[in-house]
Amino acid sequence: MADESFFKHETAIVESSTVGAGTRIWAFVHVLPGAVIGAACNICDQAFIENDVRIGDRVTIKCGVQVWDGITLEDDVFVGPNATFSNDPFPRSRQHPERYARTLVRRGASIGANATILPGLTIGERAMVGAGAVVTRDVPPMAIVAGNPARIVGYDGAGSLSAGALSTTPAEVGASPTRVAGVTLHRLPYVNDLRGNLSFGEVANQVPFEVKRYFLVYNVASKEIRGEHAHRSLHQFLICVHGRCHVVADDGTNRQEFVLDSPTIGIHLPPMVWGIQYKYTEDAVLLALASDRYDPASYIRDYSEFLELVKTSH
Amino acid sequence: MADESFFKHETAIVESSTVGAGTRIWAFVHVLPGAVIGAACNICDQAFIENDVRIGDRVTIKCGVQVWDGITLEDDVFVGPNATFSNDPFPRSRQHPERYARTLVRRGASIGANATILPGLTIGERAMVGAGAVVTRDVPPMAIVAGNPARIVGYDGAGSLSAGALSTTPAEVGASPTRVAGVTLHRLPYVNDLRGNLSFGEVANQVPFEVKRYFLVYNVASKEIRGEHAHRSLHQFLICVHGRCHVVADDGTNRQEFVLDSPTIGIHLPPMVWGIQYKYTEDAVLLALASDRYDPASYIRDYSEFLELVKTSH
Amino acid sequence: MADESFFKHETAIVESSTVGAGTRIWAFVHVLPGAVIGAACNICDQAFIENDVRIGDRVTIKCGVQVWDGITLEDDVFVGPNATFSNDPFPRSRQHPERYARTLVRRGASIGANATILPGLTIGERAMVGAGAVVTRDVPPMAIVAGNPARIVGYDGAGSLSAGALSTTPAEVGASPTRVAGVTLHRLPYVNDLRGNLSFGEVANQVPFEVKRYFLVYNVASKEIRGEHAHRSLHQFLICVHGRCHVVADDGTNRQEFVLDSPTIGIHLPPMVWGIQYKYTEDAVLLALASDRYDPASYIRDYSEFLELVKTSH
Amino acid sequence: MADESFFKHETAIVESSTVGAGTRIWAFVHVLPGAVIGAACNICDQAFIENDVRIGDRVTIKCGVQVWDGITLEDDVFVGPNATFSNDPFPRSRQHPERYARTLVRRGASIGANATILPGLTIGERAMVGAGAVVTRDVPPMAIVAGNPARIVGYDGAGSLSAGALSTTPAEVGASPTRVAGVTLHRLPYVNDLRGNLSFGEVANQVPFEVKRYFLVYNVASKEIRGEHAHRSLHQFLICVHGRCHVVADDGTNRQEFVLDSPTIGIHLPPMVWGIQYKYTEDAVLLALASDRYDPASYIRDYSEFLELVKTSH
Amino acid sequence: MADESFFKHETAIVESSTVGAGTRIWAFVHVLPGAVIGAACNICDQAFIENDVRIGDRVTIKCGVQVWDGITLEDDVFVGPNATFSNDPFPRSRQHPERYARTLVRRGASIGANATILPGLTIGERAMVGAGAVVTRDVPPMAIVAGNPARIVGYDGAGSLSAGALSTTPAEVGASPTRVAGVTLHRLPYVNDLRGNLSFGEVANQVPFEVKRYFLVYNVASKEIRGEHAHRSLHQFLICVHGRCHVVADDGTNRQEFVLDSPTIGIHLPPMVWGIQYKYTEDAVLLALASDRYDPASYIRDYSEFLELVKTSH
Amino acid sequence: MADESFFKHETAIVESSTVGAGTRIWAFVHVLPGAVIGAACNICDQAFIENDVRIGDRVTIKCGVQVWDGITLEDDVFVGPNATFSNDPFPRSRQHPERYARTLVRRGASIGANATILPGLTIGERAMVGAGAVVTRDVPPMAIVAGNPARIVGYDGAGSLSAGALSTTPAEVGASPTRVAGVTLHRLPYVNDLRGNLSFGEVANQVPFEVKRYFLVYNVASKEIRGEHAHRSLHQFLICVHGRCHVVADDGTNRQEFVLDSPTIGIHLPPMVWGIQYKYTEDAVLLALASDRYDPASYIRDYSEFLELVKTSH
């Protein structure tokens, strides 16, 4: 029998015995026996919760939402009205897959009104799925997605993209601090004569470390993200030498977005800064100068692990 | 207690006491106490009506629709099945905005099946939101919108856009009447020699008024509308001198859409005609010749006010 | 009274007396009196079935779906959660069309989660409407559609489109068999000198029949399909001489998709092969050489009829 | 017998008896009997002068130049070394046209080294044909041409084209004088909002005359000139509303070149100013507002006549 | 000693003893001993003729021309003033190639004023090199070339290229004769529906022969010619299915140029018609249907031989 | 009086007394008194040599060439027939500049037939001006130029540009030697996944020196050269990270041209190698990694000096 510490509207049908304290379940809701629902949730009219479902604490499920077998909603998730999940990538009537695709909505993420989530995806921590979006790929932590199919249009908390972002680029040659600890933005020297343009950087003057490696990123489909990790000890200096891309830097506390759109703008990402590169134009070429050779062990690829490491390093 | 002159299905839960006569409320509907609902409405199965809601007379709400706090539906509005409203632009679970964004659906507007309406928007009078559209901006009166994000694809009652519209352009140099009172379409004289093209107009011959002002509209994003108003006494003569745009003219009774796609087509908009310009191509430049200097007092910017003025002027 | 051989949840309201054996109707469902529902169906929570509705056998209707007057779902159809039908192309509150637009979902078709189906369309046999798609045009048999508005992105069972398809093209000049009976793919001879390229084919060597007719297909909007039929006795040899298009060939048992993207690739479609051409690039020109003159009686335009003919011809 | 007041190198063959005083004729030159040569000319080694030739005073003909039947060189013309004239547009051996094409090089013009002049052309007053140019069309007065085929690259004395020209455009809205009498350059007001740009001008404020006519010039091949004349009494106000073109204004004494490349730049050409428009980009649209209706009698199309009129009007 | 039947100006130096009767050699000309010069030539002032030179009858050499070792000018050639030949592709002072490049100017060709002919080229019969052209490649018979580097701009006698050529295309579906014997121009049937365009031809109706072979010509650099030959017995039917190209047809007496710029225009070239295809746009694809298999023996590749064959076949 | 050790044709007029031994001066040549002419020259018919002229030894001047005041031809220069110099950038009849523009043709350079050299230019050592070229800018040492205006099309001795050049790029990741001492061509490692391409290099593995500086060259007009110098001690590693450019490397003995057209091709230029970069595509971005900071003293900018230094360093 269900925990009586939760509220159930008289028309709701709650067959599960695992519902947390303080949770409210409203009119015409139907919860099947196997569902596990946390505390302090709010499950609105006409919602439907199947059996193989895990719902954390403080989750909001608005009207008209179904949560199917194979879906996990972590703590503090918000699911907007009529947002629709699915768990079979190629459904045919009365043909059931051996195992339903699993969907994971990570802690603090929100799914907008009437959004559609294709089967088998992960929606990252604090990500925001826009109203009406049709999500066909994993959504990274903090990313904001919109459209059909959904594309990343920004990052939560990374600030005003256009004016605000670039206004921090120093007008004069030199470096300037940013909102993110240790990250500096550099206006690089350049010479413009009739023969064309030449910009440059020298170790110690513009590039704040010895260069042991370079790499070039190019031919990135605009819908793709390249880079989304931190490094334990590596310094990087990034310049978009052709085209344009965006860089989000995040020290675990502050986050800021930068537009790299000129060979005369560089950004220094020191160790223990989470960096994301995205919104590559079709013709973008990103040059990265690195302080050390390639070492897979240097990468921190899980944002939660990164946050943990940042916390413990203080 | 609710007015017993309305119909309520036995499974519906109606907590409001303000429901108009003749309104029908169907199975599994839930109406919260604060909602105000007009007469002769039809509220279908599984609809949900929150508290801070105003619904006019003769409104249709199809199955699966929720009407949230902050939403007003004026008289004669139609809301299609599973169409979804929202009232929080950046929802997070259990974090409520100080004040919900307000949504206003004006008299006679229709919202198609499964459309999504973002928070804080106004849907204009008799506008038509297409099925599946995701509306991210205000919708002007009579506009038809579709897509994700939704764009204006036409105007209700403005007639066949392509063939029909242009067929009214006179093939020979000269003016021809249109369906809209006082509006004339002009084929302008031009000279084409090896050096290029030259088209022209002279006051009294082609341009039916003295020119006291010109203005140029350009760099209009294709999703934008420029102009959507009437003038009390000003004459305008419009020529799209590069690219293409559409003009809708409306005398309060008849409405017609014109494609301006050549420097040899001009349109004369006399006073007291509501004019809309939209569907600018990226490279469009619209030249307007005006019969008087700029005077903000000349503008009528509210369509209802325009209709009122037209009526009283007869 | 309804046939008691079906299951009805205690909260469901079933007013129809024509429900087939083995059909299950779940919580908060509402079925109006005129609906005709087949056997072994599964109609999930909060579904709504109007009167002028025909539903075949073994149909699945997931939660939150409404089936309106004028809609027919043939046997084995799947309708995903919150998928939304409509039956009035230009709805206004309390203005009913003389006759509702009719929607036909053919045998075995599936409609993905939260998809929107505009009024008056036919969804072909075994077609697949992707989750979140907004369907504005008829969907051909076996086609897979996605997006807003929905476009064809593939054909069910036609195999891997990119690598897989082309890997069957012979690297050397000559013909090679395909998975489809009688269909051969040809690498055509060509000469490349400083003046440009020349490719060619000769009857008996490359083109396996006498040529009595040629035709050219061009200016095809990318969203369009040209060709979707079989011929009783005609041979065709197809070459995409500019741009690129896709050809799906189907012998009634096997189906395969081919990318024609070079004047040096030809495909021979013998009689009694169902052929589809689609995904034309804007600049595509398809050259077809045919073994006989044009004869409308040669065409089989209905896929079911084709399947029938294939069966009887063995 | 030739006038003995001129110098003749001992190896020169001078068969004409009409050579002006002070003219020098150098080694290996050959002058046929019918040629008429003015005074103070300099005819260098290996030049060849045919019979039906008129050469004015103070003309320089450098080495290796032939002056064929049908060619007139007015006073002060310079012909560079090996510059080559022709007088038969489609020469075949021993097939002579009925009448040779006539070439006219107007007063003060210069023809650069090794340039080629096709038959039947006029090189305008003080024009400058660049070294190595192949001239296939008439060259306007003062124009500088270069290339194969030759294009106008500037106008003699019109000043620095790029920076210098535009630097006179006022940075603030308003008018500013130019080097040319009566001509003013205008920065026009404009409004820029999210919907696009709007620029405008009002009679008396920006446009210094009543507008009786407008005309639009477009689709000008970049090699073409549109406009090259003065008006007796007409005022014009020119705005390049799309693309870019150049305007040269000339009051008979001073000349200046302007780049019109924005709808916010206007130029006022008062009566009795010689105006040239050229270097149209492919997409240029030039809007001209005029103070009177079209009157062919208003045009002064001959630059010499213009200069005469300017002189007498002072 | 030279044949005294020719004229020599007193200042000319003629060291050759092989000069034909009636030839005139003018002032300051220098002819070296080994030169062979035909009858009735005209060699103008300051020309220079080296030793290993063959000049036919009725050749005109205008002033300032040098004819170097290795150059042959056939009968009736015209060389304009200052036109310049060369015979060493990579000249260095005092370094002589083992053998000079040979230049051949075929019967009746003309070289315009100040043109430059690079070493080792053949200028075809009756070709016309425009004034100032720099010829870097062989020039085909009758071709007209201009520019630096020179490109083919037309064919002598092929008529007006633009209007004239196309005006012969029948406006209605069907065939029409041309100025060239046996050549017909065809307007092909086509069907235009919403899905795109389809044009076609059937043997006997549109295509006047059985098709035994097709070939496709594409990726032709615009400066190139593809096809320049006649066939002894082959019929061809040409359609430019994408882009545009020009076809010149020549029956030995009449010549006409056609612009193929639509899949609905075909041209039938019967046997014994000299055909040239050129001016391919970058995206042009030419489809040829042929009445027989490929047979190298069918080709007549020498225009003189073609003329001979035409003559004898009558 | 002239040195009688040279040959003079009886019709030549030689007024200079400074002509070197073994020089031959042919018919109708005119040499003015001030000219200084070296030994073993060959000055052909109709040439004209003014006063302020310096001509070195072993120079060839073909027919119809004039050498004006202000022109210097160093040893071993070749000037083709009718090639035309000029010495006044803006000639007007009888208006002489204060001082004539000086033209310098460096040792061993060749000027093709009928080329035009604008005033004031330097033609570098062993450069080659193509026939008919119109030279409007300085020509670097060894460069081959052609066209109107003339552009660099190659470098003398740098080998076959297309196939030959790239064939030396190793197909496998790694370095390979070239014909130029010390210069290596590198195929760089890269990773290609669905997200785009990544290529890279590490110090010691791919980049054979420590990186102390990078620079980027971009926005180079295609007619321009960037780089044309050697370094005394600097190493450079060049990668064209977008677009394409050509690099010529020259060790003083051997010269080779390389096409950099991929981020996966690098070239190592060690000290004392003369490097030229040219033929930049409009979108080219060249990344240079350098072994030291910028030091102007490191540059050797004069090719003669470079050759001298190479010689002495052996």
Side-chain angles (χ1 to χ4, degrees), chain F residues 68-308:
Chain F
W68 308 107
D69 285 349
I71 295 176
T72 296
L73 311 179
E74 292 188 350
D75 294 347
D76 299 305
V77 161
F78 173 94
V79 184
N82 289 340
T84 307
F85 292 96
S86 52
N87 60 6
D88 185 350
F90 217 76
R92 291 298 187 195
S93 191
R94 293 168 60 101
Q95 298 175 15
H96 303 290
E98 276 191 32
R99 187 167 173 285
Y100 284 110
R102 303 203 70 86
T103 297
L104 175 58
V105 184
R106 303 292 302 266
R107 186 180 307 252
S110 294
I111 295 173
N114 215 9
T116 307
I117 312 296
L118 270 79
L121 302 179
T122 294
I123 312 296
E125 292 180 323
R126 291 189 65 76
M128 175 69 66
V129 174
V134 177
V135 182
T136 61
R137 315 159 55 100
D138 287 350
V139 178
M142 280 158 306
I144 305 168
V145 303
N148 178 357
R151 300 284 181 237
I152 296 176
V153 295
Y155 277 82
D156 181 22
S160 156
L161 301 194
S162 43
L166 266 181
S167 68
T168 56
T169 314
E172 302 295 311
V173 166
S176 60
T178 70
R179 284 201 275 120
V180 185
V183 173
T184 46
L185 204 54
H186 298 244
R187 177 69 70 182
L188 298 163
Y190 84 112
V191 180
N192 177 6
D193 66 21
L194 280 176
R195 293 167 306 163
N197 294 117
L198 184 144
S199 75
F200 62 89
E202 294 186 339
V203 166
N205 284 334
Q206 285 79 30
V207 182
F209 51 82
E210 297 277 318
V211 176
K212 293 278 178 36
R213 179 169 51 110
Y214 77 87
F215 57 89
L216 295 158
V217 178
Y218 53 100
N219 285 347
V220 178
S222 67
K223 63 194 177 201
E224 300 293 342
I225 298 169
R226 281 258 22 165
E228 197 175 12
H229 51 250
H231 286 280
R232 291 172 207 278
S233 58
L234 189 76
H235 289 261
Q236 289 190 321
F237 193 79
L238 307 180
I239 307 162
C240 192
V241 301
H242 197 261
R244 187 180 67 240
C245 71
H246 288 216
V247 170
V248 177
D250 178 347
D251 58 16
T253 305
N254 294 305
R255 201 175 303 127
Q256 193 170 0
E257 179 155 353
F258 306 92
V259 181
L260 302 188
D261 58 0
S262 162
T264 65
I265 301 176
I267 186 165
H268 173 212
L269 299 183
M272 290 312 290
V273 163
W274 185 261
I276 298 163
Q277 296 126 36
Y278 79 127
K279 287 188 179 168
Y280 284 83
T281 54
E282 209 180 322
D283 60 346
V285 180
L286 182 73
L287 168 65
L289 305 175
S291 66
D292 215 339
R293 302 207 180 171
Y294 175 69
D295 175 10
S298 159
Y299 284 77
I300 308 163
R301 294 193 181 276
D302 184 88
Y303 187 66
S304 303
E305 183 191 346
F306 166 69
L307 288 179
E308 209 52 50

Side-chain angles (χ1 to χ4, degrees), chain D residues 97-261:
Chain D
E98 276 189 33
R99 188 167 171 284
Y100 285 110
R102 302 203 72 85
T103 297
L104 175 59
V105 184
R106 304 294 301 267
R107 188 181 304 254
S110 294
I111 295 174
N114 215 10
T116 306
I117 312 296
L118 270 80
L121 302 179
T122 295
I123 312 296
E125 293 181 322
R126 291 189 65 76
M128 174 70 66
V129 174
V134 177
V135 182
T136 61
R137 314 158 58 98
D138 287 350
V139 178
M142 281 159 305
I144 305 168
V145 303
N148 179 357
R151 300 283 181 237
I152 297 176
V153 295
Y155 277 82
D156 180 23
S160 156
L161 300 194
S162 44
L166 267 180
S167 68
T168 55
T169 315
E172 302 295 311
V173 167
S176 61
T178 70
R179 285 201 274 119
V180 184
V183 172
T184 45
L185 205 53
H186 298 245
R187 177 70 70 182
L188 300 162
Y190 83 112
V191 180
N192 176 7
D193 65 22
L194 279 176
R195 293 168 307 163
N197 293 117
L198 186 144
S199 75
F200 61 90
E202 294 186 338
V203 166
N205 284 335
Q206 286 80 28
V207 182
F209 52 81
E210 296 277 319
V211 176
K212 292 279 177 35
R213 179 168 51 109
Y214 77 87
F215 57 89
L216 294 158
V217 178
Y218 53 100
N219 285 346
V220 179
S222 68
K223 62 194 177 201
E224 299 293 341
I225 299 168
R226 283 258 21 167
E228 195 174 12
H229 50 251
H231 286 279
R232 291 173 206 278
S233 58
L234 190 76
H235 290 259
Q236 290 189 320
F237 192 80
L238 307 181
I239 306 161
C240 192
V241 300
H242 197 262
R244 188 180 67 239
C245 71
H246 287 217
V247 171
V248 177
D250 178 347
D251 58 15
T253 306
N254 293 304
R255 199 175 306 125
Q256 193 169 0
E257 180 155 353
F258 306 92
V259 181
L260 302 188
D261 59 0

Side-chain angles (χ1 to χ4, degrees), chain A residues 74-90:
Chain A
E74 293 188 352
D75 293 348
D76 299 305
V77 161
F78 172 94
V79 185
N82 289 342
T84 307
F85 292 96
S86 52
N87 60 5
D88 185 350
F90 216 78

Side-chain angles (χ1 to χ4, degrees), chain B residues 113-126:
Chain B
N114 215 11
T116 308
I117 312 295
L118 269 79
L121 302 180
T122 295
I123 312 295
E125 292 180 322
R126 291 190 64 75

Side-chain angles (χ1 to χ4, degrees), chain E residues 72-90:
Chain E
T72 296
L73 311 178
E74 293 188 349
D75 294 348
D76 299 305
V77 161
F78 173 95
V79 185
N82 289 340
T84 307
F85 293 96
S86 52
N87 60 6
D88 185 351
F90 217 76

